[in-house]
Amino acid sequence: MWMCDYLKRSNNGILNNLELNESFLFKNFTRMSRENFYNLLELVRAKIEKKNTTFREAVPPEIRLAICLRYLATGDSFASLMYLFKVSKPLISSMMPGVLKAIIEALQDFFKLPANEDEWKLVSHDFNEVWNYPHCIGALDGKHVQIQRPENTVAEYYNSTIVFPNFNFFGDRIL
């Protein structure tokens, strides 16, 4: 009554299928090992777990975490995730900030971000020294990030886009 037939879930669906197969499939899907996934799950479970009601069953914390990790790893649309996990787009949209916040809070003791401008400048300096990449303050693994390539640097930035100075990324004119 509360959801379309194509969104009805049975147990944990895709996660159960992944656990029955080789561990490299699980790692490829979630971008982390099964062990790390369940360690992270235990750190965030209390904050992302919801209670069942008499009207419907809550989405299990395993699925909530897997949806978030899949989104972060692939950039899949909420529509794609909806069919993959059998969870509606509005629910994915409403749960994502809470799961992300839980992950950040759970892992804040494991990662230290620069606290002030001088520390950020030191990070930038180190990127330039080690990798010859000036004005960089971080790196992402496995993501294609569009950047504005500097003028007269075609060879070094062959896969970049050109952004004209009087237009922003959304194609609207900047006044």
Side-chain angles (χ1 to χ4, degrees), residues 5-36:
D5 287 337
Y6 61 87
L7 291 180
K8 289 188 178 167
R9 297 182 295 280
S10 62
N11 54 45
N12 289 344
I14 191 78
L15 284 183
N16 284 347
N17 293 340
L18 290 171
E19 293 194 303
L20 296 174
N21 292 312
E22 301 293 324
S23 61
F24 73 90
L25 293 175
F26 189 92
K27 187 171 186 175
N28 183 273
F29 187 79
T30 62
R31 299 300 198 267
M32 64 174 49
S33 69
R34 186 178 295 120
E35 180 183 1
N36 285 342

Side-chain angles (χ1 to χ4, degrees), residues 149-166:
R149 71 172 172 83
E151 293 181 24
N152 304 321
T153 56
V154 177
E156 295 89 353
Y157 298 90
Y158 67 91
N159 202 13
S160 301
T161 59
I162 300 173
V163 179
F164 297 100
N166 59 341

Side-chain angles (χ1 to χ4, degrees), residues 51-66:
K51 294 185 180 192
N52 293 336
T53 68
T54 55
F55 297 107
R56 63 183 97 169
E57 288 186 25
V59 175
E62 295 87 352
I63 297 297
R64 290 174 178 269
L65 180 60

Side-chain angles (χ1 to χ4, degrees), residues 2-168:
W2 289 95
M3 68 175 67
C4 301
D5 287 337
Y6 61 87
L7 291 180
K8 289 188 178 167
R9 297 182 295 280
S10 62
N11 54 45
N12 289 344
I14 191 78
L15 284 183
N16 284 347
N17 293 340
L18 290 171
E19 293 194 303
L20 296 174
N21 292 312
E22 301 293 324
S23 61
F24 73 90
L25 293 175
F26 189 92
K27 187 171 186 175
N28 183 273
F29 187 79
T30 62
R31 299 300 198 267
M32 64 174 49
S33 69
R34 186 178 295 120
E35 180 183 1
N36 285 342
F37 177 86
Y38 285 105
N39 287 339
L40 179 59
L41 179 63
E42 289 312 307
L43 292 174
V44 301
R45 180 185 294 277
K47 293 184 180 180
I48 66 173
E49 191 166 29
K50 304 298 180 191
K51 294 185 180 192
N52 293 336
T53 68
T54 55
F55 297 107
R56 63 183 97 169
E57 288 186 25
V59 175
E62 295 87 352
I63 297 297
R64 290 174 178 269
L65 180 60
I67 290 170
C68 186
L69 293 175
R70 184 73 182 169
Y71 176 74
L72 292 173
T74 64
D76 280 354
S77 69
F78 287 177
S80 174
L81 294 170
M82 175 179 75
Y83 295 114
L84 185 61
F85 289 97
K86 298 187 179 275
V87 175
S88 71
K89 284 192 301 185
L91 180 57
I92 292 172
S93 177
S94 66
M95 72 172 205
M96 193 69 70
V99 177
L100 290 168
K101 183 177 179 187
I103 292 171
I104 290 168
E105 288 173 1
L107 298 179
Q108 68 184 354
D109 294 336
F110 296 96
F111 298 98
K112 182 192 178 302
L113 290 175
N116 56 44
E117 187 176 335
D118 290 335
E119 289 181 10
W120 282 109
K121 286 181 180 179
L122 181 60
V123 170
S124 175
H125 176 265
D126 290 346
F127 263 98
N128 193 26
E129 289 294 313
V130 175
W131 300 106
N132 194 24
Y133 210 127
H135 310 295
C136 181
I137 57 171
L140 298 173
D141 183 28
K143 285 286 189 186
H144 181 91
V145 179
Q146 280 191 331
I147 61 171
Q148 179 179 351
R149 71 172 172 83
E151 293 181 24
N152 304 321
T153 56
V154 177
E156 295 89 353
Y157 298 90
Y158 67 91
N159 202 13
S160 301
T161 59
I162 300 173
V163 179
F164 297 100
N166 59 341
F167 288 87
N168 67 21

